[in-house]
Amino acid sequence: MTAPAGSTAVAAGRVLGWLGYAVALTVAAGCALVPLAWGRAAGTPLLAGGPLLVVALALFGGALLAGGRTFRAVTAGLLVPVLATALFRPVAALRPGLLLVAAGVIVLALAGAVRLLPARLRTGPRIGALVVAAGLAQAVASLTAYQAGRVVDGSLPAWRAPVRCPHRTGAGNSPSPCCSPPGRRRCCCPGPPGRWSGWSAVR
């Protein structure tokens, strides 16, 4: 006997179906993160992000078939960063020196693709593209700050802990800034009375 529409049996079936769908996608996403972190799928780095992209496509397909407008927008927005990750991961594995260039190209390509979508389908992908761009901007800013810190640390060793100059004695032996990395320190200080020693090695 078929249960009428809107009955308890139909509602319970729908709930169980969506729960099974959610559990299956969760397990699949967890399995897809392994090749993404490992950097290789099916024996090649080019497919490292493929499994996660398949999971995102399955989620988006379910939203198109049975989801509401909000669910479709959310899944479409999630699809954009997943696609960016799938494109970015092979570059990180094969050409690490081109990470920033590849990230910029990927962001521009995704932004152009989002603009080509119809207006009714553009909300979710646009938010996803903004999230990708914001994440890239933060990564670039962090990397720039790190590199700038390294450059400053290497070019201004006077900021390091001071060392004492061996040519000064008594009360006149004031700390002199270190001018090279530890192990090969140098200080600029006066030599014996009457002449200047210039750069004197301190070990």
Side-chain angles (χ1 to χ4, degrees):
M1 179 177 181
T2 304
S7 66
T8 305
V10 173
R14 289 177 178 175
V15 171
L16 290 177
W18 279 109
L19 284 177
Y21 177 73
V23 170
L25 283 181
T26 302
V27 174
C31 295
L33 290 176
V34 175
L36 182 66
W38 186 257
R40 184 177 296 270
T44 174
L46 296 177
L47 300 177
L52 189 61
L53 182 60
V54 171
V55 174
L57 288 174
L59 181 63
F60 182 62
L64 289 179
L65 292 176
R69 182 176 181 180
T70 302
F71 190 25
R72 294 175 184 175
V74 171
T75 54
L78 289 175
L79 187 59
V80 176
V82 171
L83 179 59
T85 303
L87 296 175
F88 186 72
R89 188 62 180 91
V91 180
L94 298 175
R95 294 290 186 272
L98 299 178
L99 287 179
L100 295 180
V101 176
V105 172
I106 290 172
V107 169
L108 291 177
L110 291 176
V114 168
R115 289 186 61 86
L116 295 178
L117 293 175
R120 59 187 181 87
L121 300 176
R122 196 179 299 169
T123 303
R126 178 183 295 173
I127 296 175
L130 290 176
V131 170
V132 173
L136 175 63
Q138 291 183 357
V140 171
S142 301
L143 182 60
T144 303
Y146 172 73
Q147 294 294 341
R150 291 187 60 185
V151 171
V152 170
D153 183 64
S155 61
L156 296 176
W159 290 5
R160 297 180 187 272
V163 298
R164 288 188 173 272
C165 181
H167 299 291
R168 295 184 181 181
T169 57
N173 191 0
S174 59
S176 179
C178 171
C179 300
S180 64
R184 297 188 63 187
R185 297 185 173 182
R186 293 178 179 271
C187 64
C188 187
C189 54
R195 63 189 181 90
W196 183 266
S197 66
W199 294 93
S200 301
V202 179
R203 294 185 182 274

